[in-house]
Amino acid sequence: MIQTDHLSKWYGRVAAVKDLNLYVRRGTILGLVGENGAGKTTTLSILATLTTPTSGRAYVNGYEVSRQPQGVRRSIGYMPDSFGVYDDIRVEEYLTFYAECYRVPRRLTQARCKEYLDWVGLWEHRDKYVNNLSRGMQQRLEIARCLMHDPPVLILDEPTSGLDPRSRIEVRGVLAKLRELGKTMLISSHILHELSEVADEIGILRGGELVALAALDVVLSHSSAYRSLWVEATADVRTWARLLEGDPRVLDYRVEPDGVELSFAGTVEQQADLLARLVRSGLAVRQFAERPTDLEALYLRLTEQREAT
Amino acid sequence: MLRNPLLLKEFRQRMRTWRAPFVICGYFCAMFAFTLFLLHENVQGQLTLLLPSRSEQVFVTLSLVQLLVAAFLAPAFAAGAISGERERRTLVVLLSTPLSALGILIGKILSSSALLALLLAVSLPLYSLVFLFGGAVPGEVVAVFAFQLFTLVLIAAISVCWSTLALRSGWSTVVSYATVAVMVVLTGVLGYGLQLVAAHDPVEYFLVIWGKCLLELNPLWVEAALAGAVPASPHAWLWFALAYSSVCCILAVPSVLRLRPQALSFLPWRPRAEERDYH
């Protein structure tokens, strides 16, 4: 449904996207993760036909973005990371305007307005001016706008950026509901746990390159290659933390006031050995627990590995 | 064309507030007062009101003032049409829709000139006062009105193109007003000056031709010619229309490429568009 083939975009001597190969199957949701400047927005912008690639090809719903942009535009609902709204236009009129841009028949426009405004929880606000809505409401309205022409593909660039926690939860609720529609989606975000709630697959971008692309459960299982452990003891933390040095399975550790957080690359048995060694050295261990490894930690690990190589 | 979404949105947004009728009524009243003043000045101290030759002056003055108002107000409406969308960050969403670049430009041209066209239309009844006193024939009124509409759309088109090419509304406004100044002031001053020089030295045929060409690029001169107030070739408006339509077409090409960098993707030697920071 969405495919990029050695896609690159250069701005002068700076590569925004480098040799990107992506494939998103019909009905699946790919979450694209990366820090600022990683190339997420440029990739999405190319797929939305707003930016022309320097080399390589990209296809959306069977249309090539550079040569068949009209086909692509009809197939996608695109929500940019930063957007504005018109003044003096009401919520329902806003959706009607974009429906007209997509040449949605008038008999369908009203029904879809009702359906999607209801869906994003804005039907009661249909007569309000768009510029008077809160940012979270505008974000939900944008999602409704993306759905007005019933596209098979949705491209959402940082749909929760710049929102307060409450609005973020509301928009996340809408994103979770989008799964029910069975549309193919490409969502970018730098808030990783949001994507873990929505996406089927995760792609990690860094410096315009794809560092990792796999199904969410595969990505998470990879993260089990190392564990994050939390150790607390009664003695002064600075004195006993040195005991961890020289252990090849301890990748790194961070000393905090109450204890030590360490990355441990080893089996459960080896983990038990570490605990036994600490106890044998006379340390009164108060807590020795495994912390869940989240996507953030995995992301940092993968991108650091990439940097090292 | 009337189903252009941008035009429909403009009507929805602009025409429902009290501002639009207020502006239209205000303009009509001002023009009505101005027409009465002209007529009063024309008949002051005369025994008779029926002086067709002087009423013709009223008609010409009224139509020239209308054209001048339209020419200097059009950039105010059109110069921020695209750059304003860009500054409000609504352009990126608009460009992700299947609207063609030409569709967007035409929609913006029509929507930005709609209110001014309405102002010109509502002041048409004022010409009936001029008919009352003689001096103008309906054919001239129709020609003058059509020319005013054409000039209005022309200036709006040039301003919308500048608005597409310039990154900021401030710049597009400056360039649009500079264009109007060239059209209205520079061509008039230079053309008239050359003709004056040529009048003293009729052997200089070059000056006569250039003076005539420049004056025929001046909308006020062409309109005065259509109203029969100045001597000009019968098809002076044709040269005006061709020249400025060419300017519009030339400006439209980079404007389309600016909006839709893929527009020339079918060419093997297509120019590389640098669209960074545009959206």
Side-chain angles (χ1 to χ4, degrees):
Chain A
M1 200 61 152
I2 301 175
Q3 189 181 348
T4 67
D5 188 11
H6 299 287
L7 191 72
S8 295
K9 177 68 186 177
W10 290 77
Y11 291 111
R13 290 183 177 184
V14 180
V17 177
K18 262 192 275 184
D19 202 32
L20 183 69
N21 293 300
L22 277 180
Y23 184 70
V24 188
R25 282 170 289 117
R26 187 180 295 273
T28 58
I29 302 174
L30 173 68
L32 217 47
V33 181
E35 56 208 26
N36 292 339
K40 306 184 298 289
T41 297
T42 306
T43 305
L44 268 51
S45 181
I46 291 171
L47 291 171
T49 75
L50 298 169
T51 303
T52 49
T54 309
S55 63
R57 287 175 190 276
Y59 302 87
V60 177
N61 198 24
Y63 298 105
E64 213 258 273
V65 294
S66 295
R67 296 183 186 273
Q68 296 159 301
Q70 285 299 80
V72 174
R73 286 176 199 129
R74 282 190 207 98
S75 306
I76 62 165
Y78 173 65
M79 178 177 168
D81 59 337
S82 162
F83 64 88
V85 290
Y86 294 107
D87 301 332
D88 302 330
I89 190 165
R90 295 177 205 276
V91 167
E92 209 171 352
E93 292 168 346
Y94 184 77
L95 293 185
T96 305
F97 165 62
Y98 283 106
E100 283 164 354
C101 290
Y102 285 96
R103 300 204 182 284
V104 176
R106 278 191 180 179
R107 59 189 163 77
L108 287 179
T109 302
Q110 269 200 324
R112 285 189 186 167
C113 271
K114 165 97 176 72
E115 182 185 352
Y116 292 124
L117 282 178
D118 226 6
W119 204 74
V120 296
L122 290 175
W123 176 245
E124 313 83 72
H125 304 280
R126 64 187 177 280
D127 290 327
K128 282 190 179 166
Y129 285 104
V130 175
N131 52 332
N132 291 339
L133 296 179
S134 70
R135 187 70 193 162
M137 285 175 167
Q138 288 181 356
Q139 213 90 347
R140 283 186 279 149
L141 178 64
E142 275 299 295
I143 293 174
R145 195 265 304 155
C146 288
L147 295 168
M148 278 303 285
H149 57 293
D150 196 21
V153 179
L154 290 180
I155 297 175
L156 311 178
D157 194 1
E158 309 237 2
T160 56
S161 70
L163 296 180
D164 58 66
R166 187 187 178 86
S167 306
R168 190 168 281 180
I169 291 166
E170 287 170 356
V171 172
R172 270 211 314 256
V174 173
L175 290 179
K177 276 166 75 181
L178 279 176
R179 286 187 68 92
E180 297 164 14
L181 296 177
K183 293 190 185 292
T184 308
M185 279 197 270
L186 186 54
I187 307 178
S188 79
S189 179
H190 58 269
I191 301 167
L192 301 178
H193 71 273
E194 275 177 8
L195 290 180
S196 66
E197 289 172 13
V198 183
D200 301 309
E201 291 178 311
I202 296 284
I204 299 177
L205 280 174
R206 185 177 168 85
E209 289 180 89
L210 193 65
V211 179
L213 175 65
L216 184 67
D217 47 354
V218 174
V219 172
L220 288 173
S221 69
H222 269 283
S223 69
S224 62
Y226 83 104
R227 295 155 206 277
S228 179
L229 300 177
W230 175 253
V231 186
E232 269 182 46
T234 50
D236 179 26
V237 68
R238 279 166 298 188
T239 55
W240 65 262
R242 293 196 194 102
L243 294 170
L244 300 168
E245 287 173 8
D247 190 325
R249 292 160 302 187
V250 177
L251 300 175
D252 58 22
Y253 67 92
R254 195 169 73 240
V255 177
E256 290 184 15
D258 302 335
V260 171
E261 185 174 11
L262 61 102
S263 298
F264 185 77
T267 60
V268 179
E269 290 75 25
Q270 288 167 330
Q271 194 177 312
D273 282 348
L274 174 68
L275 173 62
R277 192 165 65 81
L278 290 174
V279 172
R280 273 201 305 275
S281 64
L283 193 69
V285 177
R286 198 165 58 201
Q287 197 177 352
F288 188 93
E290 189 178 323
R291 284 187 162 179
T293 306
D294 61 3
L295 285 171
E296 264 95 356
L298 174 66
Y299 169 76
L300 287 173
R301 197 171 127 248
L302 284 170
T303 51
E304 277 163 11
Q305 277 176 2
R306 188 82 179 186
E307 214 161 56
T309 55
Chain B
M1 196 177 282
L2 288 175
R3 298 238 17 216
N4 186 301
L6 289 162
L7 187 61
L8 293 174
K9 180 177 77 67
E10 182 70 13
F11 282 142
R12 271 190 214 116
Q13 272 180 277
R14 195 165 275 173
M15 299 302 178
R16 68 163 163 230
T17 61
W18 59 269
R19 264 177 295 177
F22 181 78
V23 168
I24 292 166
C25 286
Y27 179 78
F28 180 80
C29 292
M31 291 311 289
F32 182 67
F34 181 63
T35 311
L36 287 183
F37 168 75
L38 287 177
L39 287 170
H40 175 260
E41 285 300 303
N42 254 8
V43 300
Q44 204 175 28
Q46 304 291 327
L47 291 175
T48 175
L49 291 175
L50 301 171
L51 285 170
S53 61
R54 299 192 72 172
S55 289
E56 191 183 338
Q57 288 172 11
V58 174
F59 167 65
V60 172
T61 312
L62 186 63
S63 55
L64 288 180
V65 167
Q66 293 239 65
L67 183 66
L68 211 55
V69 169
F72 278 96
L73 280 183
F77 284 88
I82 300 286
S83 51
E85 291 255 7
R86 190 181 160 274
E87 285 160 355
R88 279 197 306 271
R89 290 174 292 139
T90 49
L91 184 64
V92 61
V93 178
L94 194 62
L95 290 178
S96 72
T97 69
L99 281 179
S100 68
L102 269 181
I104 293 173
L105 290 175
I106 290 171
K108 285 291 177 188
I109 292 165
L110 292 180
S111 60
S112 56
S113 49
L115 184 67
L116 285 171
L118 201 57
L119 291 184
L120 292 178
V122 295
S123 56
L124 268 179
L126 293 177
Y127 292 119
S128 62
L129 284 174
V130 181
F131 286 143
L132 196 65
F133 296 97
V137 293
E140 283 174 351
V141 174
V142 171
V144 161
F145 180 65
F147 182 75
Q148 284 173 347
L149 285 182
F150 175 76
T151 309
L152 170 64
V153 173
L154 196 73
I155 293 171
I158 291 172
S159 302
V160 167
C161 286
W162 285 131
S163 172
T164 312
L165 296 171
L167 288 180
R168 293 180 188 282
S169 294
W171 277 113
S172 61
T173 306
V174 168
V175 181
S176 300
Y177 271 108
T179 309
V180 172
V182 168
M183 285 172 74
V184 176
V185 182
L186 193 71
T187 54
V189 170
L190 278 181
Y192 198 67
L194 288 177
Q195 288 222 327
L196 279 180
V197 174
H200 291 289
D201 187 6
V203 185
E204 277 289 354
Y205 187 68
F206 170 82
L207 293 179
V208 178
I209 292 294
W210 274 101
K212 184 171 162 289
C213 284
L214 281 170
L215 280 176
E216 285 179 355
L217 287 175
N218 186 295
L220 297 177
W221 182 270
V222 176
E223 191 177 79
L226 285 172
V230 291
S233 59
H235 299 297
W237 61 271
L238 199 61
W239 161 239
F240 176 90
L242 277 174
Y244 287 114
S245 300
S246 308
V247 171
C248 283
C249 291
I250 290 166
L251 286 176
V253 174
S255 301
V256 166
L257 279 177
R258 189 70 137 155
L259 292 174
R260 297 286 193 213
Q262 308 90 342
L264 295 180
S265 63
F266 60 91
L267 296 173
W269 41 269
R270 64 186 184 274
R272 287 228 175 277
E274 185 53 79
E275 65 276 345
R276 187 174 213 184
D277 296 334
Y278 186 61
H279 308 121

mmCIF file of all heavy atoms in Angstrom, chain A residues 150-173:
data_model
loop_
_atom_site.group_PDB
_atom_site.id
_atom_site.type_symbol
_atom_site.label_atom_id
_atom_site.label_comp_id
_atom_site.label_asym_id
_atom_site.label_seq_id
_atom_site.Cartn_x
_atom_site.Cartn_y
_atom_site.Cartn_z
ATOM 1 N N ASP A 150 -12.895 9.616 2.562
ATOM 2 C CA ASP A 150 -12.778 8.174 2.771
ATOM 3 C C ASP A 150 -11.538 7.597 2.064
ATOM 4 O O ASP A 150 -11.641 6.686 1.236
ATOM 5 C CB ASP A 150 -14.051 7.482 2.259
ATOM 6 C CG ASP A 150 -14.156 6.064 2.796
ATOM 7 O OD1 ASP A 150 -13.520 5.771 3.814
ATOM 8 O OD2 ASP A 150 -14.848 5.255 2.160
ATOM 9 N N PRO A 151 -10.355 8.116 2.410
ATOM 10 C CA PRO A 151 -9.148 7.618 1.728
ATOM 11 C C PRO A 151 -8.710 6.272 2.291
ATOM 12 O O PRO A 151 -8.927 5.997 3.478
ATOM 13 C CB PRO A 151 -8.113 8.705 2.063
ATOM 14 C CG PRO A 151 -8.532 9.211 3.400
ATOM 15 C CD PRO A 151 -10.030 9.109 3.457
ATOM 16 N N PRO A 152 -8.068 5.441 1.476
ATOM 17 C CA PRO A 152 -7.591 4.154 2.008
ATOM 18 C C PRO A 152 -6.327 4.301 2.863
ATOM 19 O O PRO A 152 -5.992 3.395 3.616
ATOM 20 C CB PRO A 152 -7.293 3.338 0.748
ATOM 21 C CG PRO A 152 -7.067 4.338 -0.329
ATOM 22 C CD PRO A 152 -7.869 5.549 0.015
ATOM 23 N N VAL A 153 -5.643 5.446 2.718
ATOM 24 C CA VAL A 153 -4.372 5.632 3.434
ATOM 25 C C VAL A 153 -4.426 6.921 4.265
ATOM 26 O O VAL A 153 -4.895 7.951 3.776
ATOM 27 C CB VAL A 153 -3.190 5.743 2.432
ATOM 28 C CG1 VAL A 153 -1.874 5.973 3.173
ATOM 29 C CG2 VAL A 153 -3.092 4.496 1.569
ATOM 30 N N LEU A 154 -3.955 6.828 5.497
ATOM 31 C CA LEU A 154 -3.842 8.030 6.331
ATOM 32 C C LEU A 154 -2.372 8.261 6.669
ATOM 33 O O LEU A 154 -1.661 7.327 7.044
ATOM 34 C CB LEU A 154 -4.622 7.861 7.636
ATOM 35 C CG LEU A 154 -6.143 7.852 7.546
ATOM 36 C CD1 LEU A 154 -6.737 7.673 8.937
ATOM 37 C CD2 LEU A 154 -6.672 9.136 6.936
ATOM 38 N N ILE A 155 -1.930 9.505 6.493
ATOM 39 C CA ILE A 155 -0.558 9.867 6.833
ATOM 40 C C ILE A 155 -0.632 10.969 7.882
ATOM 41 O O ILE A 155 -1.069 12.080 7.598
ATOM 42 C CB ILE A 155 0.209 10.348 5.577
ATOM 43 C CG1 ILE A 155 0.294 9.196 4.562
ATOM 44 C CG2 ILE A 155 1.601 10.835 5.943
ATOM 45 C CD1 ILE A 155 0.918 9.587 3.237
ATOM 46 N N LEU A 156 -0.268 10.628 9.095
ATOM 47 C CA LEU A 156 -0.415 11.569 10.208
ATOM 48 C C LEU A 156 0.961 11.897 10.776
ATOM 49 O O LEU A 156 1.682 11.020 11.254
ATOM 50 C CB LEU A 156 -1.294 10.967 11.313
ATOM 51 C CG LEU A 156 -2.634 10.352 10.876
ATOM 52 C CD1 LEU A 156 -3.354 9.750 12.075
ATOM 53 C CD2 LEU A 156 -3.524 11.380 10.203
ATOM 54 N N ASP A 157 1.313 13.162 10.693
ATOM 55 C CA ASP A 157 2.628 13.600 11.141
ATOM 56 C C ASP A 157 2.508 14.193 12.547
ATOM 57 O O ASP A 157 1.926 15.258 12.718
ATOM 58 C CB ASP A 157 3.179 14.642 10.146
ATOM 59 C CG ASP A 157 4.652 14.900 10.344
ATOM 60 O OD1 ASP A 157 5.244 14.272 11.229
ATOM 61 O OD2 ASP A 157 5.208 15.725 9.597
ATOM 62 N N GLU A 158 3.030 13.502 13.505
ATOM 63 C CA GLU A 158 3.017 13.928 14.906
ATOM 64 C C GLU A 158 1.636 14.414 15.346
ATOM 65 O O GLU A 158 1.469 15.592 15.693
ATOM 66 C CB GLU A 158 4.044 15.039 15.135
ATOM 67 C CG GLU A 158 5.416 14.666 14.605
ATOM 68 C CD GLU A 158 6.501 14.713 15.648
ATOM 69 O OE1 GLU A 158 6.188 15.000 16.812
ATOM 70 O OE2 GLU A 158 7.649 14.436 15.289
ATOM 71 N N PRO A 159 0.651 13.533 15.336
ATOM 72 C CA PRO A 159 -0.719 13.988 15.623
ATOM 73 C C PRO A 159 -0.944 14.505 17.032
ATOM 74 O O PRO A 159 -1.950 15.150 17.279
ATOM 75 C CB PRO A 159 -1.568 12.741 15.360
ATOM 76 C CG PRO A 159 -0.628 11.600 15.409
ATOM 77 C CD PRO A 159 0.717 12.101 15.043
ATOM 78 N N THR A 160 -0.018 14.228 17.953
ATOM 79 C CA THR A 160 -0.253 14.714 19.326
ATOM 80 C C THR A 160 0.748 15.788 19.738
ATOM 81 O O THR A 160 0.796 16.138 20.911
ATOM 82 C CB THR A 160 -0.141 13.547 20.337
ATOM 83 O OG1 THR A 160 1.138 12.951 20.180
ATOM 84 C CG2 THR A 160 -1.228 12.523 20.142
ATOM 85 N N SER A 161 1.491 16.322 18.765
ATOM 86 C CA SER A 161 2.518 17.298 19.159
ATOM 87 C C SER A 161 1.878 18.607 19.617
ATOM 88 O O SER A 161 0.854 19.028 19.088
ATOM 89 C CB SER A 161 3.476 17.562 17.998
ATOM 90 O OG SER A 161 2.821 18.272 16.993
ATOM 91 N N GLY A 162 2.492 19.202 20.595
ATOM 92 C CA GLY A 162 2.049 20.509 21.085
ATOM 93 C C GLY A 162 0.751 20.492 21.865
ATOM 94 O O GLY A 162 0.105 21.529 21.997
ATOM 95 N N LEU A 163 0.347 19.329 22.346
ATOM 96 C CA LEU A 163 -0.921 19.249 23.077
ATOM 97 C C LEU A 163 -0.675 19.097 24.581
ATOM 98 O O LEU A 163 0.339 18.534 24.997
ATOM 99 C CB LEU A 163 -1.733 18.046 22.587
ATOM 100 C CG LEU A 163 -2.197 18.055 21.144
ATOM 101 C CD1 LEU A 163 -2.981 16.785 20.859
ATOM 102 C CD2 LEU A 163 -3.069 19.272 20.869
ATOM 103 N N ASP A 164 -1.641 19.596 25.368
ATOM 104 C CA ASP A 164 -1.543 19.380 26.802
ATOM 105 C C ASP A 164 -1.932 17.915 27.092
ATOM 106 O O ASP A 164 -2.501 17.242 26.235
ATOM 107 C CB ASP A 164 -2.458 20.371 27.548
ATOM 108 C CG ASP A 164 -3.897 20.236 27.118
ATOM 109 O OD1 ASP A 164 -4.493 19.182 27.379
ATOM 110 O OD2 ASP A 164 -4.416 21.178 26.488
ATOM 111 N N PRO A 165 -1.613 17.413 28.292
ATOM 112 C CA PRO A 165 -1.838 15.987 28.574
ATOM 113 C C PRO A 165 -3.274 15.523 28.322
ATOM 114 O O PRO A 165 -3.504 14.446 27.767
ATOM 115 C CB PRO A 165 -1.469 15.857 30.054
ATOM 116 C CG PRO A 165 -0.509 16.967 30.291
ATOM 117 C CD PRO A 165 -0.936 18.086 29.400
ATOM 118 N N ARG A 166 -4.241 16.356 28.686
ATOM 119 C CA ARG A 166 -5.641 15.948 28.523
ATOM 120 C C ARG A 166 -5.981 15.793 27.033
ATOM 121 O O ARG A 166 -6.567 14.789 26.620
ATOM 122 C CB ARG A 166 -6.553 17.000 29.169
ATOM 123 C CG ARG A 166 -7.988 16.584 29.207
ATOM 124 C CD ARG A 166 -8.862 17.726 29.707
ATOM 125 N NE ARG A 166 -10.261 17.324 29.687
ATOM 126 C CZ ARG A 166 -10.839 16.675 30.674
ATOM 127 N NH1 ARG A 166 -10.164 16.361 31.737
ATOM 128 N NH2 ARG A 166 -12.111 16.327 30.586
ATOM 129 N N SER A 167 -5.583 16.804 26.243
ATOM 130 C CA SER A 167 -5.862 16.745 24.800
ATOM 131 C C SER A 167 -5.125 15.574 24.161
ATOM 132 O O SER A 167 -5.632 14.926 23.239
ATOM 133 C CB SER A 167 -5.412 18.034 24.124
ATOM 134 O OG SER A 167 -5.986 19.131 24.742
ATOM 135 N N ARG A 168 -3.922 15.317 24.689
ATOM 136 C CA ARG A 168 -3.134 14.210 24.153
ATOM 137 C C ARG A 168 -3.863 12.884 24.362
ATOM 138 O O ARG A 168 -3.919 12.041 23.465
ATOM 139 C CB ARG A 168 -1.776 14.209 24.857
ATOM 140 C CG ARG A 168 -0.783 13.285 24.256
ATOM 141 C CD ARG A 168 0.585 13.555 24.803
ATOM 142 N NE ARG A 168 1.176 14.711 24.168
ATOM 143 C CZ ARG A 168 2.368 15.191 24.447
ATOM 144 N NH1 ARG A 168 3.087 14.610 25.376
ATOM 145 N NH2 ARG A 168 2.846 16.226 23.805
ATOM 146 N N ILE A 169 -4.443 12.738 25.522
ATOM 147 C CA ILE A 169 -5.189 11.501 25.813
ATOM 148 C C ILE A 169 -6.386 11.402 24.869
ATOM 149 O O ILE A 169 -6.687 10.338 24.324
ATOM 150 C CB ILE A 169 -5.637 11.471 27.300
ATOM 151 C CG1 ILE A 169 -4.396 11.293 28.193
ATOM 152 C CG2 ILE A 169 -6.641 10.362 27.554
ATOM 153 C CD1 ILE A 169 -4.636 11.577 29.659
ATOM 154 N N GLU A 170 -7.082 12.532 24.669
ATOM 155 C CA GLU A 170 -8.259 12.528 23.775
ATOM 156 C C GLU A 170 -7.858 12.140 22.347
ATOM 157 O O GLU A 170 -8.507 11.312 21.712
ATOM 158 C CB GLU A 170 -8.907 13.912 23.776
ATOM 159 C CG GLU A 170 -9.663 14.218 25.058
ATOM 160 C CD GLU A 170 -10.106 15.678 25.146
ATOM 161 O OE1 GLU A 170 -9.756 16.481 24.245
ATOM 162 O OE2 GLU A 170 -10.791 16.009 26.114
ATOM 163 N N VAL A 171 -6.774 12.761 21.854
ATOM 164 C CA VAL A 171 -6.344 12.462 20.485
ATOM 165 C C VAL A 171 -5.871 11.007 20.394
ATOM 166 O O VAL A 171 -6.142 10.320 19.409
ATOM 167 C CB VAL A 171 -5.236 13.442 20.029
ATOM 168 C CG1 VAL A 171 -4.643 13.028 18.701
ATOM 169 C CG2 VAL A 171 -5.798 14.849 19.921
ATOM 170 N N ARG A 172 -5.192 10.536 21.452
ATOM 171 C CA ARG A 172 -4.748 9.141 21.447
ATOM 172 C C ARG A 172 -5.938 8.192 21.370
ATOM 173 O O ARG A 172 -5.887 7.161 20.714
ATOM 174 C CB ARG A 172 -3.935 8.854 22.710
ATOM 175 C CG ARG A 172 -2.462 9.117 22.512
ATOM 176 C CD ARG A 172 -1.579 8.218 23.347
ATOM 177 N NE ARG A 172 -1.964 8.068 24.734
ATOM 178 C CZ ARG A 172 -1.338 8.665 25.758
ATOM 179 N NH1 ARG A 172 -0.345 9.469 25.523
ATOM 180 N NH2 ARG A 172 -1.716 8.428 26.988
ATOM 181 N N GLY A 173 -7.022 8.596 22.052
ATOM 182 C CA GLY A 173 -8.251 7.796 21.982
ATOM 183 C C GLY A 173 -8.766 7.723 20.562
ATOM 184 O O GLY A 173 -9.179 6.657 20.086
#
